Amino acid sequence: MTDAPLVSVVMPCLNEEAAIGACIEKIQRTFATAGIAGEIVVCDNGSTDGSVAIAERLGARLVHQPHRGYGNAYLKGFAAARGRYLIMGDADDTYDFSLIPQFLHALAVDGYDFVTGSRYLAGGDKHVTGLHRFVGNPALTAILNILFRTHYTDVYCGFRGFSRAAYDRIRPISPGMEFNLELAINASLAGLKITEIPIELGPRKGESKLRTFRDGWRSLRMMLLYSPNQLFFVPGAVLLALGLAIHLLVLLGLVKFGGRPAAGVTGVFGTIFSVVGFQILSLGLHAKTYSWSRRFDRDNQALAAFYDRFKLETGLLVGAGLFLAGAGILTGLVIEWLRSDLLPLPRPEWASFGATLVITGLSTIFTALFISAMSMSKAGG
């Protein structure tokens, strides 16, 4: 059995016969010139042209991924790679693979965990198409930096390097073009030491696989789902607080319309806001729990304190208490309603408040069960 190479250069390939040969030869020349013990892994994603034959003829290791997708191809390629360090780059001859030693130096000597190229640091973006160059990439990079407090200048550059250990901490799963974005997000969430290297994008050979608006939306969707504070906790907390405030004001008789206290209909709005807000907060906690289970929130002290103290029994007791309180209110109202020969209730706002307690109580019980299951997954992982 041969020794494992120092570095594996992994390229996804889908009908890249116009460029795959040039890419492989450039990487081989770089290995030879720099004295690097490396391998080239080409992950074919269902090519129907001569790409596979060219890769095999030039001595690259070839693996096949039957499931289409940029991310799927990389997942298969990285799984097959044997190097201590992993370099990723497209097989369209747009990246200067002579920079591989610079990536390796940043990883092996400078101590960085995640090294990514940037086409914007030194004016290397002239071959980026106009919409992507001036709108798409800068916008997605800015949004990601705001949501995750990072400092990338080119979050969608596909020329990157990282150690095998770093990749195992990043643990990407995305099947499509958003794979690149997930790498950048997870590298930050996992607390990896990150740097950027200026690169220049060359003209592309062959047909681009990027679908601007579809892939842009998928990228934006991923960023939102990976940032539960902004997507869930803020709107959820606002709606829950608004709903509870409405309930309180109505029950105390502090809201009046035309000299009469607000009652049933206003209470219904209190229930709507409260329940929707609580459900959004629950989804946010689910998202945070998922992040915790993947060890991305390990430095979040508030979340760590929550999980240190959280017990399934506590959640069940709180949920059961809310449910029983609401059920008690509703039961009393039903008895009063029946005794009055089904006449309208004098304080219908209590029905809305009781319904809010019942719904949030049941939701709390099932949220506690879910969090407990995910917490066990974390402890086991």
Side-chain angles (χ1 to χ4, degrees):
M1 182 177 179
T2 59
D3 293 336
L6 174 68
V7 60
S8 298
V9 179
V10 180
M11 294 186 292
C13 177
L14 176 60
N15 295 329
E16 299 285 5
E17 66 178 1
I20 185 70
C23 292
I24 294 173
E25 290 172 346
K26 288 179 181 179
I27 297 169
Q28 290 171 335
R29 284 198 299 270
T30 298
F31 285 169
T33 301
I36 296 172
E39 67 171 355
I40 303 171
V41 179
V42 173
C43 184
D44 179 60
N45 205 199
S47 297
T48 56
D49 62 1
S51 301
V52 170
I54 294 172
E56 288 179 330
R57 176 171 53 82
L58 293 176
R61 283 186 61 212
L62 190 69
V63 294
H64 296 276
Q65 172 58 280
H67 302 292
R68 284 290 179 93
Y70 179 85
N72 283 331
Y74 267 124
L75 289 170
K76 182 78 171 185
F78 287 141
R82 299 180 296 123
R84 186 190 316 167
Y85 297 102
L86 306 173
I87 301 291
M88 59 182 286
D90 297 339
D92 56 9
D93 203 23
T94 55
Y95 294 127
D96 181 5
F97 288 112
S98 68
L99 295 176
I100 289 175
Q102 191 173 340
F103 277 78
L104 289 176
H105 188 276
L107 291 167
V109 179
D110 296 335
Y112 289 100
D113 303 306
F114 185 82
V115 181
T116 179
S118 173
R119 298 161 291 185
Y120 293 91
L121 283 177
D125 59 338
K126 63 182 179 181
H127 289 296
V128 180
T129 57
L131 183 61
H132 300 157
R133 180 184 184 185
F134 298 109
V135 180
N137 287 337
L140 289 174
T141 299
I143 292 171
L144 186 142
N145 285 335
I146 292 171
L147 291 179
F148 299 96
R149 300 178 183 179
T150 54
H151 304 283
Y152 293 108
T153 61
D154 185 7
V155 77
Y156 243 120
C157 178
F159 194 11
R160 289 176 171 164
F162 30 83
S163 66
R164 167 62 70 178
Y167 178 77
D168 290 340
R169 291 175 63 187
I170 292 172
R171 297 166 63 183
I173 59 174
S174 297
M177 285 291 183
E178 68 276 17
F179 179 86
N180 248 344
L181 202 65
E182 186 184 18
L183 289 176
I185 293 172
N186 287 2
S188 174
L189 293 178
L192 300 183
K193 188 178 180 182
I194 301 169
T195 191
E196 291 184 314
I197 290 177
I199 69 165
E200 181 174 349
L201 189 76
R204 194 192 198 288
K205 296 178 181 178
E207 179 184 357
S208 173
K209 313 302 186 301
L210 184 65
R211 299 295 179 264
T212 299
F213 295 104
R214 182 198 66 180
D215 293 327
W217 161 244
R218 289 173 67 168
S219 298
L220 180 61
R221 178 184 66 184
M222 166 170 285
M223 285 190 284
L224 292 175
L225 292 176
Y226 268 67
S227 55
N229 287 350
Q230 292 82 353
L231 182 62
F232 296 109
F233 288 129
V234 173
V238 170
L239 287 174
L240 179 59
L242 178 61
L244 293 177
I246 291 174
H247 276 309
L248 180 63
L249 293 173
V250 171
L251 292 175
L252 295 177
L254 299 178
V255 179
K256 298 181 183 295
F257 297 102
R260 294 175 299 175
V265 174
T266 308
V268 168
F269 281 100
T271 296
I272 292 172
F273 290 133
S274 298
V275 170
V276 172
F278 184 84
Q279 293 300 324
I280 293 173
L281 284 174
S282 296
L283 289 172
L285 191 55
H286 294 172
K288 275 288 187 183
T289 303
Y290 172 74
S291 178
W292 179 261
S293 72
R294 297 189 72 190
R295 304 188 299 277
F296 290 150
D297 267 308
R298 73 207 184 294
D299 293 329
N300 188 322
Q301 295 182 357
L303 196 64
F306 172 81
Y307 284 111
D308 286 341
R309 292 170 175 79
F310 174 79
K311 297 293 185 293
L312 172 62
E313 293 78 10
T314 303
L316 295 179
L317 286 173
V318 171
L322 292 171
F323 172 79
L324 291 175
I329 292 172
L330 294 177
T331 299
L333 291 174
V334 170
I335 293 173
E336 181 182 357
W337 184 52
L338 293 174
R339 286 177 175 175
S340 66
D341 294 328
L342 308 185
L343 292 175
L345 292 170
R347 299 292 304 275
E349 61 270 23
W350 281 98
S352 298
F353 183 61
T356 298
L357 294 178
V358 168
I359 296 170
T360 54
L362 289 173
S363 297
T364 299
I365 290 173
F366 286 101
T367 295
L369 291 169
F370 175 84
I371 292 175
S372 179
M374 290 297 290
S375 296
M376 287 190 295
S377 172
K378 167 194 167 285

